[in-house]
Amino acid sequence: MWTGVFPAVTTKFTEDDRLDHAEMERCFALQMEAGCDGIIVCGSLGEGPMLSHDEKIDVLKTAQKIAGSKPVLLTVNEPGTREAVAIARRAAKEGANGLMVVPSPIYHTNAEETVAALRAVAEAGDLPVMIYSNRLAYRVDVTVDQMEELAKDKRFVAIKESSDDIRRSTEIINRFGDRYDLFTGVDNLAFEALSVGAIGWVAGLVTAFPRETVAIYQLMKQGRREEALTIYRWFRPLLDLDVSTYLVQNIKLAEVLAINTNDRVRMPRQPLSGERRKMVEKIVRDALAARPELPRF
């Protein structure tokens, strides 16, 4: 159902901390022009937990305006299942193509609670669901056994695999075949995950470097592994910026330098400063200076 590169887009803010829809439209359009296959809004990178439900729906609508016929998924990452159910229903009403659902980022659910919460959101939204499993960031692991329980419900169609263990991708394929659309959700494991059978990439640095991200995916899809690997090796220092407590600030700063936008974030986050900012700027500027020529595909 879903394949390809799905940017987990950033949310843009004005100087007075309102949503900057004009800038989001411009940045989202760069993703579509580069050949991305869908958009995911209001995730971790999109500062979803810092947005009100009204704001999330407004970001969804902006993405839909730009994506055209391509799918737009809303991330459900509320602390409580009641709130998760409510935003899932609103997303369905507003025409979202699907949901990416995170177990509560506040309460660390056990296996039974995780499955029950995910089912409740799927039933409320009645939309296709991408299960977001990220045990490092959220300290809840949606295991392969739990995925088997959820597979009984056809609304669960995809996995965003972010366990940081490349073996998990093979375990999912061995257990389920093509029952789930398998996406990698860790930027600096993307080449490895695509090598072992992932069919999609929920990407972060794509927001600053969309054409390079799409090139890696398309080359891998065509079996042009060595060409993809060359770009990936250039990309790796940038991709490492996604695996950080400061991923939002890191990637927004990369966007400043690569696509000439701003790096405003919502408090308590603040833009990078001091030595950390200098370090990230150097990584991005070094990459821009050595930007590879992309092959045709």
Side-chain angles (χ1 to χ4, degrees):
M1 181 176 181
W2 293 326
T3 63
V5 176
F6 281 44
V9 292
T10 58
T11 301
K12 294 300 178 186
F13 301 105
T14 62
E15 291 183 2
D16 59 352
D17 198 36
R18 292 177 297 152
L19 295 178
D20 188 343
H21 290 286
E23 184 62 2
M24 282 190 279
E25 287 182 18
R26 186 185 76 85
C27 294
F28 296 173
L30 294 176
Q31 305 299 302
M32 297 296 97
E33 291 164 8
C36 292
D37 301 283
I39 296 178
I40 299 178
V41 298
C42 306
S44 304
L45 183 55
E47 299 175 75
M50 311 302 176
L51 304 177
S52 70
H53 281 195
D54 286 345
E55 287 177 320
K56 290 185 179 187
I57 295 301
D58 286 346
V59 175
L60 171 69
K61 291 178 179 178
T62 296
Q64 289 171 324
K65 178 179 177 181
I66 301 302
S69 62
K70 293 181 178 180
V72 179
L73 280 60
L74 178 74
T75 306
V76 176
N77 48 14
E78 273 55 42
T81 303
R82 179 184 63 176
E83 293 78 15
V85 162
I87 192 63
R89 287 181 177 141
R90 288 190 65 179
K93 183 178 179 181
E94 297 297 339
N97 299 105
L99 305 171
M100 184 171 76
V101 183
V102 182
S104 172
I106 302 300
Y107 173 69
H108 307 140
T109 51
N110 64 29
E112 182 180 357
E113 291 168 332
T114 300
V115 169
L118 291 170
R119 281 176 171 161
V121 174
E123 289 169 4
D126 197 26
L127 290 170
V129 171
M130 178 182 291
I131 302 164
Y132 183 11
S133 178
N134 188 334
R135 63 189 179 190
L136 296 183
Y138 301 114
R139 288 182 280 181
V140 174
D141 187 9
V142 184
T143 65
V144 176
D145 286 342
Q146 290 168 38
M147 293 174 193
E148 187 160 7
E149 280 292 305
L150 296 168
K152 300 170 186 175
D153 186 333
K154 293 182 179 179
R155 286 172 289 211
F156 293 101
V157 301
I159 306 290
K160 179 185 176 183
E161 168 34 37
S162 298
S163 70
D164 205 37
D165 182 352
I166 193 60
R167 293 170 293 190
R168 177 67 66 84
S169 294
T170 298
E171 290 166 7
I172 292 170
I173 293 169
N174 283 350
R175 180 79 68 94
F176 303 111
D178 62 359
R179 164 62 184 82
Y180 288 113
D181 298 333
L182 178 60
F183 281 65
T184 179
V186 181
D187 267 3
N188 63 5
L189 278 177
F191 180 87
E192 293 82 352
L194 294 169
S195 296
V196 298
I199 63 171
W201 181 358
V202 178
L205 266 298
V206 66
T207 63
F209 295 90
R211 295 192 182 279
E212 288 84 356
T213 307
V214 170
I216 291 170
Y217 178 81
Q218 289 293 339
L219 290 168
M220 290 297 287
K221 184 178 178 181
Q222 294 176 19
R224 297 162 64 180
R225 181 183 180 279
E226 292 303 319
E227 292 172 89
L229 184 56
T230 297
I231 301 169
Y232 185 68
R233 285 172 174 161
W234 162 83
F235 214 173
R236 258 300 300 273
L238 292 163
L239 298 177
D240 291 347
L241 298 175
D242 182 58
V243 187
S244 166
T245 303
Y246 299 96
L247 82 158
V248 176
Q249 294 97 317
N250 289 346
I251 292 174
K252 282 194 166 181
L253 180 52
E255 289 180 320
V256 168
L257 299 172
I259 63 170
N260 195 32
T261 185
N262 66 74
D263 62 342
R264 299 184 193 110
V265 289
R266 179 157 282 178
M267 291 182 70
R269 286 189 178 92
Q270 295 186 7
L272 296 182
S273 60
E275 290 303 312
R276 188 178 297 276
R277 188 177 186 91
K278 290 179 183 177
M279 177 190 70
V280 174
E281 283 186 344
K282 184 178 187 307
I283 290 169
V284 179
R285 292 188 191 281
D286 286 351
L288 287 169
R291 205 166 192 170
E293 182 176 347
L294 300 180
R296 293 185 179 183
F297 47 82

